């Protein structure tokens, strides 16, 4: 995936160093669109296209009451569009900026599964090995690494457990362990026989994370830093083992609360998301990551070819490979968890990269905000390859890690259907 680099903020000037049913699928400032949009980088797209993008994004923000967002689109020979809109903190009015750390939800799965595929390349595991070889307690021996990575294991998604969801709403600061998450999933019978269907499940990625730790002997965060983040110089990307977000960061706002009131979820404990949705990153690093993911920069050609063997998820234009979504030609993933929504994708047909980061997961009329932004941007700039907006999801089934995001706790999507695939 191609990459654009913000001009108004450089990594060297940063004072602080870092710290996901359907699928994958400021504080609004008063005033006119130009007043609300904070230009951040080279704006090389033609002025008419830029004006259309500004207007489309601002319209969605106004209608959906979005606090703030960062959006970047980089297309060789056509130009760059990178802007920050709205605010990062509703309390202080601090403007959104492209260098702010943010939680990225189910985009985390792309990192975790890349790490697992690297072990395949190293000959330490086999893509068709049963996960029970590495993690105890998994039912049966036909749930393979390939089926986990491709969301075809049939294992119940722990983020759909109603009792657990109520618990998470009541105490979002609680710490969960990977084994504890599996216990929640394994209390439910499998949803279908392994390999017979596609269904988004955060349980799959938690198992792969545990496998990585077993085989590598490293903490997952340390493994990803050494084998994925550092090789690509993703210096502002991490999988922390606590709930802190380094400064400067965007605050995240959610209504995933017992009474539906809006809360600041910035420092909620993301241990429940872990390998499925716990990574923190920023616009610039995701701009680097999207092309590397689509190109298979960290994998052998053979393994990348296996990754890109996408299969339909039952929604027009959407298919899923090994931890990667193909949405009308865009390869990547979206993410969602309380307070945040995201997209990081590459369009090989035009060598274009799209990154969208929104600091709220309060859907508009049941629709994912990041998908609405992605749809608006691609409808204008790449009309032959439009990022779709998933069908509206029932408000009664929030999913913290789904593919609407494949990371949210609601339906199999948002994760929810190929409209949502995040970890919420």
């Amino acid at each position: 995936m191609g990459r654009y680099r913000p001009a108004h903020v450089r990594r060297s000037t940063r004072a602080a160093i870092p710290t996901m049913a359907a699928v994958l699928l400021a504080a609004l400032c008063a005033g006119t669109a130009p007043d609300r949009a904070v230009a951040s980088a080279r704006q090389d797209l033609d002025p008419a296209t830029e004006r259309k993008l500004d207007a489309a994004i601002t319209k969605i923000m106004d209608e959906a009451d979005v606090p703030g967002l960062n959006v970047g689109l980089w297309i060789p020979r056509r130009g760059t569009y990178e802007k920050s809109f709205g605010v990062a903190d509703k309390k202080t009015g601090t403007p959104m900026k492209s260098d702010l750390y943010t939680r990225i939800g189910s985009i985390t799965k792309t990192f975790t599964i890349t790490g697992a595929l690297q072990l395949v390349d190293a000959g330490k595991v086999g893509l068709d090995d049963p996960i029970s070889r590495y993690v105890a307690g998994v039912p049966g021996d036909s749930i393979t690494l390939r089926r986990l990575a491709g969301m075809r294991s049939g294992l119940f998604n722990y983020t759909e457990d109603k009792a657990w969801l109520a618990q998470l709403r009541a105490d979002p600061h609680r710490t969960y362990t990977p084994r504890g998450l599996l216990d929640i999933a394994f209390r439910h019978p499998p949803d279908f026989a392994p390999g017979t269907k596609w269904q988004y499940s955060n349980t799959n990625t938690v198992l792969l994370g545990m496998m990585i730790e077993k085989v590598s002997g490293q903490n997952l965060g340390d493994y990803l830093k050494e084998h994925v983040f550092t090789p690509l110089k993703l210096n502002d990307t991490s999988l922390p083992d606590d709930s802190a977000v380094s400064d400067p960061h965007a605050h995240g706002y959610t209504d995933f609360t017992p009474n539906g009131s809006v809360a600041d979820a910035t420092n909620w404990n993301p241990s429940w998301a872990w390998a499925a949705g716990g990574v923190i990153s920023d616009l610039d690093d995701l701009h680097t990551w999207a092309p590397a993911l689509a190109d298979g920069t960290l994998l052998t050609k053979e393994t990348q070819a296996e990754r890109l063997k996408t299969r339909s998820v039952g929604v027009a234009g959407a298919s899923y490979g090994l931890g990667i979504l193909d949405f009308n030609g865009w390869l990547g993933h979206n993410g969602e968890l309380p307070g945040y929504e995201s997209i990081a994708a590459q369009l090989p047909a035009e060598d274009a990269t799209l990154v969208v980061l929104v600091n709220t997961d309060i859907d508009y009329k049941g629709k994912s905000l990041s998908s609405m932004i992605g749809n608006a941007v691609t409808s204008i700039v790449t009309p032959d390859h439009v990022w779709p907006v998933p069908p509206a999801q029932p408000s009664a089934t929030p999913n913290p890690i789904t593919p609407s995001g494949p990371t949210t706790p609601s339906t199999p999507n948002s994760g929810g259907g190929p409209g949502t695939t995040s970890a919420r």
Side-chain angles (χ1 to χ4, degrees):
M1 299 178 174
R3 156 182 198 128
Y4 67 86
R5 175 176 290 278
H8 78 301
V9 175
R10 297 302 180 194
R11 286 291 165 268
S12 59
T13 65
R14 192 172 211 163
I17 296 178
T19 62
M20 171 184 353
V23 143
L24 308 172
L25 286 156
L28 297 179
C29 305
T32 62
D35 293 328
R36 298 182 48 189
V38 180
S40 61
R42 299 190 317 269
Q43 298 173 12
D44 297 333
L45 288 179
D46 64 274
T49 298
E50 184 181 335
R51 286 192 296 271
K52 290 180 182 178
L53 290 170
D54 287 349
I57 292 170
T58 302
K59 179 180 179 181
I60 292 172
M61 293 185 70
D62 284 332
E63 292 177 342
D65 195 25
V66 178
L69 65 84
N70 283 318
V71 59
L73 180 69
W74 186 81
I75 310 179
R77 297 173 298 281
R78 291 184 62 183
T80 295
Y81 178 85
E82 181 184 332
K83 286 192 175 183
S84 297
F85 295 77
V87 300
D89 186 337
K90 296 199 294 185
K91 184 176 181 179
T92 65
T94 302
M96 185 67 81
K97 293 183 180 179
S98 67
D99 69 327
L100 301 183
Y101 292 110
T102 186
R103 298 191 187 279
I104 63 171
S106 285
I107 294 176
T108 298
K109 293 176 173 66
T110 64
F111 291 110
T112 298
I113 293 173
T114 295
L117 295 177
Q118 288 178 317
L119 292 176
V120 172
D121 280 340
K124 296 182 178 181
V125 301
L127 194 53
D128 295 304
D129 286 351
I131 190 65
S132 57
R133 183 177 298 177
Y134 309 100
V135 182
V138 181
D141 58 4
S142 58
I143 297 176
T144 63
L145 274 61
R146 184 193 300 274
R147 287 171 173 167
L148 291 170
M151 298 293 168
R152 294 178 178 273
S153 74
L155 291 173
F156 180 82
N157 182 1
Y158 67 88
T159 61
E160 309 242 350
D161 181 280
K162 293 181 180 179
W164 175 83
L165 283 170
Q167 183 182 78
L168 181 63
R169 280 195 183 93
D171 183 9
H173 298 285
R174 177 172 177 166
T175 297
Y176 295 86
T177 64
R179 175 54 65 177
L181 298 175
L182 290 189
D183 289 343
I184 295 169
F186 295 165
R187 286 203 291 262
H188 298 263
D191 292 324
F192 53 84
T196 60
K197 296 180 183 180
W198 181 93
Q199 178 173 285
Y200 197 86
S201 175
N202 294 297
T203 305
N204 296 330
T205 319
V206 168
L207 276 166
L208 290 173
M210 294 175 72
M211 180 277 292
I212 290 173
E213 293 196 332
K214 174 73 171 181
V215 174
S216 70
Q218 293 181 277
N219 166 282
L220 180 60
D222 293 337
Y223 176 90
L224 293 178
K225 179 178 180 180
E226 179 179 344
H227 298 277
V228 182
F229 306 153
T230 298
L232 294 174
K233 296 183 172 58
L234 304 182
N235 299 322
D236 297 309
T237 302
S238 64
L239 178 58
D241 55 9
D242 58 24
S243 60
V245 184
S246 292
D247 291 327
H249 62 261
H251 286 250
Y253 302 93
T254 187
D255 59 358
F256 186 72
T257 56
N259 61 6
S261 61
V262 177
D264 185 333
T266 307
N267 293 309
W268 285 8
N269 193 327
S271 58
W272 63 268
W274 192 52
V279 165
I280 292 172
S281 191
D282 68 1
L283 189 73
D284 200 39
D285 273 11
L286 291 178
H287 184 193
T288 296
W289 175 238
L293 172 65
D295 295 344
T297 301
L298 299 179
L299 303 175
T300 63
K301 291 182 179 180
E302 293 75 16
T303 297
Q304 179 68 1
E306 293 298 312
R307 165 168 243 171
L308 295 181
K309 289 180 179 179
T310 63
R311 298 168 65 182
S312 173
V313 300
V315 172
S319 58
Y320 202 83
L322 302 184
I324 194 168
L325 171 71
D326 184 332
F327 249 172
N328 291 332
W330 286 96
L331 298 177
H333 218 281
N334 56 350
E336 178 183 350
L337 79 171
Y340 302 90
E341 293 189 11
S342 54
I343 295 173
Q346 178 79 0
L347 179 62
E350 296 192 31
D351 193 24
T353 303
L354 172 67
V355 178
V356 177
L357 300 171
V358 185
N359 68 339
T360 180
D361 69 318
I362 304 175
D363 292 348
Y364 178 63
K365 295 183 177 181
K367 295 182 179 181
S368 157
L369 299 175
S370 59
S371 292
M372 290 174 68
I373 297 295
N375 176 268
V377 171
T378 55
S379 293
I380 293 169
V381 185
T382 58
D384 293 332
H385 302 277
V386 175
W387 188 275
V389 178
Q393 298 299 304
S395 59
T397 56
N399 184 353
I401 269 191
T402 53
S404 80
T407 301
T408 338
S410 40
T411 31
N413 175 306
S414 180
T420 65
T421 298
S422 56
R424 185 175 182 158

